Amino acid sequence: MFYDCAAHPEAFVYKLLTATVTPRPIAWVTTRSVAGVDNAAPYSFFNVMGHEPPTVALGLLRDPVKGLKDTAENISASGEFVVNLVARDMAEQMNTTAIDAPRDVSEVTLAGLDTMPSSLVAPPRLAQAPVSFECRLLSAVMTGPKQMVVIGRVVAIHIADRFLLDAERGHVDTPALDLIARMHGSGWYKAGGEMFQMTRLTYPPEQGS
């Protein structure tokens, strides 16, 4: 089936994109407003984009009522944010923070989340998150009406000690993080699952490989 994106409603194209680009890692983003309100919201249009410098990207879609989402407003104003990764045992709290709360209401408080001060940026990190990336804004690109792609430089990484196999060598017990990912449709997520490994080839490939 061929789909010309320009010939279909945006909601229809969104459905195709989110049903096929899976699983998607989730950035549980904490920001702080100019008024000092701490915001937390999950985004699955997210990934690492490089390491020289360490870079992440967020796709922040339009809010149907407010226009720019709180996260987009706060990042634009302060230039700082924290990406927290979501473990399975925090999924329900993460879901609570997806609520369409007014700008002056903190989702951190609504979800009963504990925070800790960040080391290099003003927004707090989530205390129970297994991993948190402190970020500063590199670039913000408006890709549509009130739709924004945020590119941030990771300036600090926090990993809970219990998930480190060898802290000095940077060896992480990745399966133990038990991170969840966004799947298709309304409210579908993935946790765990079968893993397999393949060796990356070098050129020229060996005969018979």
Side-chain angles (χ1 to χ4, degrees), residues 72-155:
E73 286 247 341
N74 295 345
I75 293 174
S76 297
S78 71
E80 297 182 335
F81 59 99
V82 179
V83 170
N84 306 275
L85 301 186
V86 188
R88 177 64 185 88
D89 62 3
M90 300 184 75
E92 285 71 24
Q93 287 174 297
M94 179 216 66
N95 193 47
T96 297
T97 64
I99 194 171
D100 55 345
R103 292 200 193 278
D104 60 349
V105 173
S106 171
E107 294 86 355
V108 173
T109 302
L110 278 178
L113 293 165
D114 296 322
T115 62
M116 295 181 67
S118 295
S119 300
L120 301 178
V121 300
R125 57 192 178 95
L126 299 179
Q128 289 89 359
V131 180
S132 298
F133 303 128
E134 298 184 23
C135 304
R136 291 199 179 108
L137 179 64
L138 280 174
S139 180
V141 181
M142 298 302 297
T143 57
K146 306 300 182 181
Q147 177 178 285
M148 179 187 295
V149 171
V150 167
I151 302 172
R153 177 171 185 161
V154 179
V155 296

Side-chain angles (χ1 to χ4, degrees), residues 30-48:
T30 45
T31 56
R32 179 167 288 168
S33 72
V34 173
V37 178
D38 290 333
N39 174 271
Y43 295 92
S44 67
F45 289 179
F46 155 70
N47 220 311
V48 175

